[in-house]
Each structure stands twice: as C-alpha cells, then as structure tokens.
Amino acid sequence: MTTHEPTSAVPGRQAAFYHPALFYGTEDEYLDGVGTFVQDALEQEHSVLVAVPGPTLPLLQDFVEGNRSHVTWVDMRQAGRNPGRILSMLQEFADRAAAAGSQSSIVGEPIWVGRTAAEAWEATRHEALINLAFTGRPVSILCPYDTALPEDVLAQAHRTHPVVGAPGAYRASSRYTDPHEVSRDCDTPLPEPSDAVVIPFGEQALAFVRDEADRWAAAAGLPPVRRTDWLLAIGEATSNSVRHGGGRGTMRLWCADGELVAEIRDQGLLADPLTGRRRPDPRAATGGRGVWIMHQVCDLVEFRTVAQGLVLRLHMGLD
C-alpha cells in the first residue's frame, strides 16, 4: 500500500497541509490513487470526505469495502454544480472533524469531463483558493484529474497544486503559483450576450429591479420554486451594489443554453477572493453573507474585476 505523507512543496507552509493533484487515465489508476488515499486515511483514523462525480462513487465504495460507512460520500455533480460553494463544504467538514479531535482527509474532484469552460474556470479558482483557506491546517485534500480533460485545464492543475503526480509518484509542482495570482488570471473576458434586457438601478429602485427580474424569469419559464432562489440572489447582488458598489448599478438579463443569466455591474471591488467561500457568522461584522447566499442558490456564479469596477453573473438552469 502506498502511503501518502502530508508534505509540502511550498516554503513556509506547515507540513500538515497536503494538496496534491492526482492525474489518472484509467479506472485502475483512479482506484489506485484515490482508493489507496482513502484506505490510508481510514487506517490513520482520520475523518474522510469523498466528494467526486456520482458515477465513480460506487467504484470507491466497493474498493474500501467494509469501511465505507466510515466515509462521508458526496456526489460532486450535485453538491459542486456551482464550484463557488465547494470550498464552504470542505471547510465545514474539516471544522467538524477538528472539533471532534480528528484530522481530515478529503478527496475533492471539482472538474470532470463535460464541465463547461465557464464552470472549469471557476473550479480552477476554487482549487487555488483551497491553498489560502487551509494554509497551516492539518488537512489533506487530494484532487483527481482525468487526463482526458482539456490541456488548459490540466495545465492549470499544475499551477493550483503544490504537489502533482500519479499513484506512488508525487512530486513538487514546478509550476505552482501564488493563489492570488491564479485567482486574478481566472478573470478572463466574459462572452457578450446577443440580446439582453437592461435595467439601471439605484437605492430607490431595488424593489422595482426584483419585480422586473421576477416577471422576466416567469416569462422565461423558470419554475416558481427556483424563482424564489433567483430573486434571493438578485436581491443580495443589487443590494451589495448599492452598499458597496457606488450606490448604483446596471442589471442585464438574458437566456442562453437552457439557463437564465443575470449580470450586475457596479463600481465595487472584491478585495478578498475568499469572500463568500465560508458560511458567514451572523454575529460577525466582516460581511460576505450576500455572496455566500448567491453561491448556495445559483448554479454558477462568476465574478470579474474590470477597469470600471465589478461584474457579477448569476446563472440558473431552467430545469
């Protein structure tokens, strides 16, 4: 059995934090790398979370056999449909384990064949931010990457993981990059819609914006139960524009590829890339509640920093 020792390839980082990328091309390589990581963690009596695409869950459950009840299993296609809410899930698991006096070992596979390019960029941002959120914590997070993924996705994995490799052959990544720089690099230009409804707003027009977004979504076919989430996200986004983005903003609405998109532009700034990536303490004055809510209810959230301020896109599927 291969032992995965918590080591670090980043000077100054505590050795307890371990964040390798596992590259696999076959089912056997997947089971060797991921299954062995899980077995080793169980033998060390760690708390174990396995968050991978649903079709691979039974393979891993069979691999660990009688120990499967000691693992928390999560279908990443569901829990991580929006990459922006994965980090919160991982942090909460690690927090619960730490409170119980246990070390955490986590398998997180945020990018799989079939992810859209927009989702893959936000998942890459998530992978970089793991290194900020868990610095110095006794947590191991293994991230599998199918070698059938696009080359640019695989290249980014080398930049977001201090350690990379294959089962039994991990090494320090020579391309590992500061997480803040990777996050800035994820601010790629967003495609322009062919047609959109444009609604400028200020503090006195917030209720009007919600009403217009509700009517537009209903006409587009968004089910009532999802419209509640849609309006919650838009309400938080537009209120943030008024409070932190210069007192006003512009919302654009359009449909594309079976989903609704709401874009909010203002003169704000997202100074901390970890904003909204952890469940906020309702008693704290540090903020982040609105962004966290957006991540929880939307299928995809995209932030871009541009010369004029901040661009936010909220995506919600019609299904």
Side-chain angles (χ1 to χ4, degrees), residues 219-234:
L222 190 66
V225 65
R226 296 229 73 191
R227 281 211 308 278
T228 299
D229 289 341
W230 169 255
L231 294 177
L232 177 59
I234 286 177

Side-chain angles (χ1 to χ4, degrees), residues 38 48-51 57 60-61 64 67-75:
V38 173
V48 180
L49 168 66
V50 175
L57 284 172
L60 295 171
Q61 290 168 341
V64 300
N67 289 319
R68 69 174 64 182
S69 63
H70 299 289
V71 178
T72 299
W73 304 96
V74 173
D75 182 352

Side-chain angles (χ1 to χ4, degrees), residues 14-96:
Q14 292 185 23
F17 176 65
Y18 185 52
H19 183 209
L22 165 71
F23 298 103
Y24 69 91
T26 67
E27 183 178 297
D28 286 343
E29 290 175 347
Y30 189 81
L31 291 175
D32 185 18
V34 179
T36 302
F37 175 88
V38 173
Q39 288 279 38
D40 287 348
L42 290 169
E43 289 178 6
Q44 297 174 61
E45 299 185 345
H46 291 183
S47 295
V48 180
L49 168 66
V50 175
V52 299
T56 57
L57 284 172
L59 295 174
L60 295 171
Q61 290 168 341
D62 289 343
F63 188 88
V64 300
E65 299 177 333
N67 289 319
R68 69 174 64 182
S69 63
H70 299 289
V71 178
T72 299
W73 304 96
V74 173
D75 182 352
M76 188 65 95
R77 289 180 186 264
Q78 299 298 321
R81 180 173 180 177
N82 172 14
R85 58 175 173 247
I86 300 174
L87 190 51
S88 177
M89 174 179 67
L90 304 190
Q91 291 179 105
E92 289 178 22
F93 179 84
D95 290 345
R96 290 193 298 270

Side-chain angles (χ1 to χ4, degrees), residues 43-316:
E43 289 178 6
Q44 297 174 61
E45 299 185 345
H46 291 183
S47 295
V48 180
L49 168 66
V50 175
V52 299
T56 57
L57 284 172
L59 295 174
L60 295 171
Q61 290 168 341
D62 289 343
F63 188 88
V64 300
E65 299 177 333
N67 289 319
R68 69 174 64 182
S69 63
H70 299 289
V71 178
T72 299
W73 304 96
V74 173
D75 182 352
M76 188 65 95
R77 289 180 186 264
Q78 299 298 321
R81 180 173 180 177
N82 172 14
R85 58 175 173 247
I86 300 174
L87 190 51
S88 177
M89 174 179 67
L90 304 190
Q91 291 179 105
E92 289 178 22
F93 179 84
D95 290 345
R96 290 193 298 270
S102 175
Q103 186 167 325
S104 300
S105 288
I106 297 170
V107 179
E109 189 168 3
I111 307 180
W112 52 85
V113 175
R115 273 285 211 191
T116 67
E119 291 168 349
W121 269 119
E122 293 308 315
T124 293
R125 192 194 303 270
H126 153 76
E127 288 278 52
L129 295 179
I130 283 178
N131 299 302
L132 293 180
F134 285 96
T135 295
R137 296 192 63 178
V139 177
S140 298
I141 305 175
L142 176 70
C143 302
Y145 280 79
D146 190 335
T147 54
L149 287 164
E151 285 298 322
D152 62 328
V153 171
L154 298 175
Q156 290 297 329
H158 285 266
R159 302 180 73 223
T160 56
H161 294 81
V163 179
V164 297
Y170 290 103
R171 64 189 184 281
S173 173
S174 62
R175 287 179 273 170
Y176 179 75
T177 305
D178 179 86
H180 290 94
E181 181 177 340
V182 176
S183 185
R184 288 192 296 269
D185 290 344
C186 289
D187 281 352
T188 55
L190 293 167
E192 279 294 308
S194 58
D195 188 29
V197 174
V198 181
I199 308 173
F201 64 88
E203 184 175 4
Q204 304 305 317
L206 291 178
F208 171 76
V209 167
R210 280 176 51 88
D211 289 343
E212 287 298 297
D214 188 22
R215 283 192 288 268
W216 181 84
L222 190 66
V225 65
R226 296 229 73 191
R227 281 211 308 278
T228 299
D229 289 341
W230 169 255
L231 294 177
L232 177 59
I234 286 177
E236 293 292 341
T238 53
S239 295
N240 278 352
S241 291
V242 169
R243 289 196 299 268
H244 310 295
R248 62 178 60 85
T250 301
M251 181 172 70
R252 296 196 296 175
L253 304 169
W254 69 89
C255 294
D257 301 322
E259 65 178 12
L260 307 188
V261 183
E263 177 192 271
I264 293 88
R265 290 177 177 258
D266 57 41
Q267 297 177 30
L269 174 67
L270 193 67
D272 182 359
L274 287 173
T275 298
R277 304 279 175 160
R278 173 184 279 278
R279 184 188 295 271
D281 182 344
R283 299 163 297 182
T286 53
R289 174 181 176 273
V291 179
W292 184 82
I293 289 173
M294 294 176 218
H295 280 306
Q296 300 309 305
V297 302
C298 293
D299 296 330
L300 179 65
V301 177
E302 298 176 285
F303 280 99
R304 295 292 188 273
T305 299
V306 297
Q308 297 78 19
L310 192 66
V311 179
L312 163 66
R313 284 189 181 178
L314 307 172
H315 298 246
M316 188 163 289

